[in-house]
Amino acid sequence: MEGDVRNKARASWDMGSLPPVECLRIERSDSPTPDLVEGTEPGAGQQAAMFVHSRSVEDLPAEADEDAESRVEPQPVADGDPGSSETFGTSENGLQVEENIIEVAQAPKESSWAESRTKEEDICSDGWRSHRKHVFVLSEAGKPIYSRYGTEEALSSTMGVMMALVSFVEADKNIIRSIHADGYNVVFLSKSPLVLVAVSQTRQSDKEMIRELQYIYYQIVSLLTLTQLNHIFQAKKNYDLRRLLAGSEHLIDNLLRRLDRDPGLLLSAVTCLPLASSSRDAVSASLQAAKAPSLVFSILMKDQYLHHMDLHLVFNLVCSSSSSFREGEGWTPICLPKFNSAGFFHAHISYLEPASELCLILVSTDREEFFSLSDCKQRFLERLRKRNAYQALKEAVKTPSYSVDLVGIPELRHFLYKSKSSGLFTSPELPGVYQSEEGQERLMGLYQELHSRLHHSTRPLLSIYRCGETENFMAWLTSGFELYLCLTPLVTKMQAVSAVNKLLKWIRKEEDRLFILSPLTY
Amino acid sequence: MSAMRVDTKVVMLGKESVGKTSLVERYVHHRFLVGPYQNTIGAAFVAKPIQVGDKVVTLGIWDTAGSERYEAMSRIYYRGARAAVVCYDLTDSSSFQRARFWVKELQNCEEHCKIYLCGTKNDLVQADRGLRQIDFHDAQDFAEEIGAQLYETSSKTGNNVDELFQRIAEEYSDSAFQYMSNEAGVDLSQKKDSYFYSCCHNN
């Protein structure tokens, strides 16, 4: 049955009204992976196959999709590991109900894609299709709100189909969660009044993808507040939400990009600037001394006082608007959905000095308080200077990360360590092998996979040791921490275990520099 | 920077992507940033001292976001403004409609605020007359009707930008001289107005 579906789907794919299929495409659709999925369990053998495959494709010449790409954003590595078209989802249970729907769904999709053309990115093109991960947001009336690639108008019929799928299953008092077919994972997240859909060719599990969709959902909530969102759709079911989100699409684009790269989003943790504990105390004390009555939070660079999700949304806001805050002071409403999804806070965003990398974010409850927060910043800066902490801080910012060599374990390439109690994580600079965009996303992909294995909902694991062709991994989950090691491929299991012990010792030694051990509250 | 005294509040208003931020960038930092369009989030504040005769006037410029999402809270940005630069894009007629909306809003809520109409992206129009969608005379008529001054600027070349802000500062200075006894600038440390705003007042 499963094989059937896949073949049919592929047939329609090839026959469909596509532009001529170039060699890359053939290479990919003829890849051995579908068969692999049938036979192997998600395990080591399959991993190895995957590595071989991903390398072979990386060796191929220029990317076919580059030309269709008119956005400025960096190409999400469509070809990083197309071998990933296999899913461990296929062997998973429960969601197969929709298998027969997919045939129905694909037919109309094909035709609608053929009809509509867009200026931005031709959604009929191979380039559009071969993006690794598509994300769509629509309203419950089926109105398009956001699409990662291509314009929303062109996709309105596709989104209509998605909505039809959701309501079809809903009619039976069921919830559609995902569809697995032809190497694609289609994951649905229904958060009334919005529906979020991800279509991916990566090896990510459903759970991972749902988590990413949740981030997107909260990003939208943080722009509008949940109260306002509900209010709008109660008043007018077919409201075009794009009117209100205009100009903020790049926030979502950027968030998606960070989801592919930033381990913090994966681990639900944030990282803080390595700083000697004495300077950190001085900075915190200065912050606290400079407070104003309405001030709720202050975040200097990467200090944590907030739910990690909210914090990431704030960071995303700041990172996405590179220049506008740099010389002036920003004053913007922001909803922190995990803290209070009903109302706006007001964030005062400023750089300590125009040329400095240090961004101070002060969050207040009162929208009239701009000038008092502005004062706050000045007082903070003065105090910092008086205590000589500013210099230390500036020094620390120059080297925000550290090299993995510092740990003194030659086999160790990279690691992620999350301290559960503080919600903070630490990880060294990416070594040369992973510094390219592709490398970074590939490494993140592998971490993501380990992460989803450890946190599997039905079969959670405590530790994993995995050998690959290009690197070995060790992952360990305890009640206190979560640890992922990326090691050179020739390491034995014994060496890996001793590396873990050494690393833990090192982290304990550096603990007060790497983490905020005693966060302050107002 | 913000610790300095601000003499008068100037607010930038207009449809999104008409070039309010570019105008401020050009005026304050004498530069024009090329690159993908980035919308302003919320609003940004910048203080700029300017020489008028033998005095120095500090303009506190609020660069607001044009996005409709922030419309509900735009009042906090223009409240108490002595001057508003209402921008429209010379090559986009819908932006002029939006400018009319802002003018009406200001007339209703901030009657003491002087309005400066500003047609942006003049360099585009200079390069290709066919791009112009807002006739100079139409804009001029509208400006007269509402008692505003009209400028056509280009943030790319800097054309007319300094003149616009210089004019704002001069007019403030003149009026401040007349009303010296009434009010002497805005004190940054002043306490907020007495009425209460909840944080979810935007609805």
Side-chain angles (χ1 to χ4, degrees):
Chain A
M1 164 67 198
E2 225 177 276
D4 250 305
V5 174
R6 186 165 289 113
N7 285 338
K8 262 186 227 165
R10 185 139 35 102
S12 71
W13 181 274
D14 284 340
M15 284 170 356
S17 37
L18 290 173
V21 189
E22 81 270 68
C23 60
L24 185 63
R25 185 80 252 168
I26 294 172
E27 191 99 13
R28 200 177 303 160
S29 48
D30 282 351
S31 74
T33 40
D35 311 54
L36 254 173
V37 189
E38 306 303 308
T40 39
E41 278 172 38
Q46 192 181 341
Q47 287 334 316
M50 180 204 84
F51 283 130
V52 175
H53 189 70
S54 65
R55 253 194 335 189
S56 70
V57 176
E58 266 166 15
D59 292 342
L60 284 174
E63 297 214 357
D65 10 357
E66 283 295 343
D67 50 345
E69 183 77 47
S70 61
R71 295 199 185 181
V72 205
E73 61 190 63
Q75 178 76 9
V77 214
D79 291 334
D81 43 12
S84 62
S85 39
E86 81 231 31
T87 63
F88 20 102
T90 26
S91 58
E92 263 163 38
N93 40 1
L95 313 169
Q96 251 67 348
V97 203
E98 299 85 26
E99 281 282 16
N100 46 359
I101 302 174
I102 189 69
E103 293 173 58
V104 190
Q106 281 222 337
K109 260 189 206 168
E110 299 285 339
S111 60
S112 70
W113 285 350
E115 278 159 25
S116 43
R117 314 229 156 227
T118 70
K119 275 168 270 160
E120 212 180 7
E121 180 171 13
D122 189 351
I123 61 160
C124 313
S125 67
D126 271 359
W128 188 81
R129 280 162 189 240
S130 57
H131 286 302
R132 278 206 321 165
K133 196 187 295 163
H134 282 275
V135 175
F136 307 97
V137 182
L138 46 148
S139 72
E140 280 182 331
K143 272 229 165 140
I145 293 169
Y146 170 81
S147 163
R148 188 176 188 184
Y149 306 105
T151 60
E152 291 84 10
E153 288 90 351
L155 288 162
S156 55
S157 46
T158 311
M159 301 234 187
V161 171
M162 291 174 187
M163 197 55 227
L165 286 174
V166 173
S167 12
F168 181 82
V169 178
E170 237 164 45
D172 285 342
K173 303 249 179 324
N174 243 325
I175 298 168
I176 187 166
R177 279 154 54 196
S178 62
I179 300 173
H180 305 275
D182 194 29
Y184 286 84
N185 271 9
V186 185
V187 178
F188 294 83
L189 176 66
S190 193
K191 284 266 189 189
S192 181
L194 304 181
V195 175
L196 298 96
V197 184
V199 181
S200 109
Q201 308 183 53
T202 61
R203 276 170 298 132
Q204 278 178 311
S205 65
D206 290 359
K207 205 174 149 199
E208 294 287 314
M209 281 168 51
I210 293 277
R211 192 179 49 83
E212 296 191 357
L213 289 180
Q214 255 157 358
Y215 266 110
I216 305 298
Y217 170 73
Y218 284 120
Q219 175 71 69
I220 293 174
V221 171
S222 96
L223 292 167
L224 298 171
T225 73
L226 189 58
T227 318
Q228 198 183 339
L229 195 65
N230 287 330
H231 187 76
I232 289 167
F233 281 103
Q234 266 157 23
K236 204 168 165 224
K237 271 222 158 354
N238 61 349
Y239 184 81
D240 187 356
L241 197 64
R242 281 180 304 157
R243 279 182 53 190
L244 284 184
L245 293 178
S248 47
E249 295 86 356
H250 75 279
L251 282 177
I252 305 180
D253 291 343
N254 204 38
L255 183 64
L256 280 166
R257 217 157 34 234
R258 293 189 40 194
L259 279 167
D260 284 340
R261 310 245 171 93
D262 188 343
L265 292 149
L266 171 70
L267 296 175
S268 309
V270 289
T271 175
C272 63
L273 188 69
L275 199 64
S277 58
S278 59
S279 339
R280 197 187 301 281
D281 289 345
V283 174
S284 317
S286 310
L287 262 181
Q288 186 140 33
K291 72 182 172 190
S294 70
L295 194 63
V296 196
F297 302 112
S298 46
I299 305 158
L300 181 66
M301 274 296 273
K302 291 163 175 172
D303 291 9
Q304 157 146 17
Y305 298 91
L306 273 167
H307 189 276
H308 62 88
M309 175 95 78
D310 290 344
L311 204 49
H312 278 299
L313 292 175
V314 174
F315 290 160
N316 191 43
L317 181 81
V318 176
C319 301
S320 306
S321 49
S322 57
S323 59
S324 51
F325 299 128
R326 189 143 293 256
E327 321 228 359
E329 295 164 61
W331 182 237
T332 182
I334 180 172
C335 170
L336 302 171
K338 285 283 174 181
F339 192 78
N340 174 7
S341 66
F344 278 119
F345 286 103
H346 293 265
H348 178 277
I349 303 168
S350 61
Y351 285 83
L352 289 186
E353 277 176 346
S356 119
E357 289 293 307
L358 279 170
C359 179
L360 178 70
I361 304 166
L362 302 166
V363 182
S364 157
T365 49
D366 190 332
R367 61 180 181 179
E368 305 290 321
E369 288 287 282
F370 173 82
F371 286 108
S372 73
L373 291 196
S374 186
D375 263 6
C376 220
K377 174 205 165 183
Q378 288 305 327
R379 284 205 305 274
F380 170 60
L381 199 56
E382 277 159 28
R383 228 168 275 255
L384 215 52
R385 288 216 175 94
K386 238 182 266 166
R387 290 174 173 229
N388 296 326
Y390 192 51
Q391 203 51 39
L393 204 55
K394 273 209 294 213
E395 286 302 315
V397 171
K398 271 188 214 146
T399 49
S401 194
Y402 48 93
S403 155
V404 69
D405 300 336
L406 230 63
V407 189
I409 306 172
E411 310 85 69
L412 188 66
R413 282 193 185 164
H414 192 250
F415 68 88
L416 304 177
Y417 173 92
K418 176 189 171 184
S419 143
K420 281 190 179 169
S421 57
S422 62
L424 294 168
F425 81 96
T426 183
S427 108
E429 273 164 18
L430 288 168
V433 213
Y434 303 110
Q435 257 168 13
S436 68
E437 256 172 44
E438 292 85 6
Q440 197 180 345
E441 282 183 16
R442 196 172 68 87
L443 181 66
M444 267 306 291
L446 293 164
Y447 278 138
Q448 272 172 0
E449 208 183 318
L450 290 170
H451 181 265
S452 66
R453 289 286 182 80
L454 287 184
H455 296 274
H456 197 281
S457 48
T458 50
R459 289 167 301 171
L461 298 172
L462 285 180
S463 65
I464 302 175
Y465 178 67
R466 169 186 291 170
C467 297
E469 286 233 331
T470 46
E471 57 272 283
N472 286 1
F473 280 97
M474 174 94 197
W476 192 18
L477 181 66
T478 72
S479 54
F481 62 84
E482 221 174 306
L483 179 64
Y484 302 84
L485 273 73
C486 172
L487 303 146
T488 52
L490 297 175
V491 166
T492 63
K493 207 186 276 182
M494 284 292 287
Q495 282 172 307
V497 171
S498 83
V500 168
N501 288 329
K502 253 197 214 158
L503 178 61
L504 286 176
K505 240 180 242 157
W506 182 81
I507 290 173
R508 203 153 298 141
K509 200 177 83 204
E510 302 285 323
E511 203 169 35
D512 57 346
R513 210 171 60 86
L514 297 173
F515 298 107
I516 304 170
L517 294 175
S518 50
L520 285 171
T521 49
Y522 288 120
Chain B
M1 199 170 181
S2 59
M4 68 174 79
R5 229 177 88 99
V6 172
D7 294 307
T8 183
K9 177 170 172 180
V10 181
V11 64
M12 314 290 296
L13 295 170
K15 193 187 166 186
E16 60 183 325
S17 80
V18 295
K20 298 178 289 298
T21 304
S22 293
L23 198 63
V24 175
E25 276 283 314
R26 165 58 76 183
Y27 176 62
V28 178
H29 304 298
H30 314 289
R31 63 183 179 198
F32 180 73
L33 300 174
V34 194
Y37 168 66
Q38 281 217 328
N39 61 330
T40 306
I41 293 168
F45 174 82
V46 108
K48 170 82 176 176
I50 177 170
Q51 187 79 34
V52 178
D54 53 354
K55 282 187 302 185
V56 173
V57 173
T58 304
L59 302 181
I61 303 173
W62 280 94
D63 174 22
T64 67
S67 168
E68 212 174 306
R69 174 157 36 95
Y70 296 106
E71 192 182 300
M73 51 196 72
S74 59
R75 226 183 108 65
I76 61 166
Y77 301 124
Y78 64 68
R79 180 175 327 108
R82 298 293 292 267
V85 181
V86 178
C87 300
Y88 62 94
D89 180 346
L90 289 171
T91 66
D92 174 8
S93 56
S94 69
S95 68
F96 196 65
Q97 291 307 316
R98 195 76 187 142
R100 285 177 185 271
F101 161 85
W102 283 118
V103 167
K104 200 184 276 170
E105 182 104 350
L106 286 169
Q107 285 174 332
N108 288 339
C109 306
E110 288 296 324
E111 49 182 332
H112 297 299
C113 179
K114 278 197 78 94
I115 298 174
Y116 298 80
L117 271 182
C118 177
T120 59
K121 311 189 189 176
N122 198 16
D123 54 296
L124 293 180
V125 177
Q126 296 296 330
D128 178 2
R129 300 224 162 258
L131 285 176
R132 185 185 270 273
Q133 290 194 5
I134 310 295
D135 186 68
F136 177 76
H137 298 287
D138 290 351
Q140 186 77 53
D141 289 348
F142 178 58
E144 270 168 31
E145 183 191 321
I146 59 169
Q149 301 195 35
L150 176 67
Y151 282 83
E152 291 194 344
T153 62
S154 162
S155 305
K156 193 169 180 179
T157 63
N159 176 20
N160 243 350
V161 174
D162 286 353
E163 287 83 344
L164 167 66
F165 285 97
Q166 189 68 37
R167 181 78 199 177
I168 292 173
E170 279 167 12
E171 291 201 352
Y172 164 75
S173 171
D174 292 350
S175 66
F177 182 70
Q178 284 168 21
Y179 302 113
M180 190 77 93
S181 52
N182 293 352
E183 193 190 3
V186 181
D187 181 5
L188 286 189
S189 59
Q190 76 181 13
K191 287 285 160 270
K192 62 168 177 164
D193 298 318
S194 55
Y195 38 73
F196 173 75
Y197 274 93
S198 72
C199 59
C200 44
H201 190 71
N202 59 299
N203 290 325

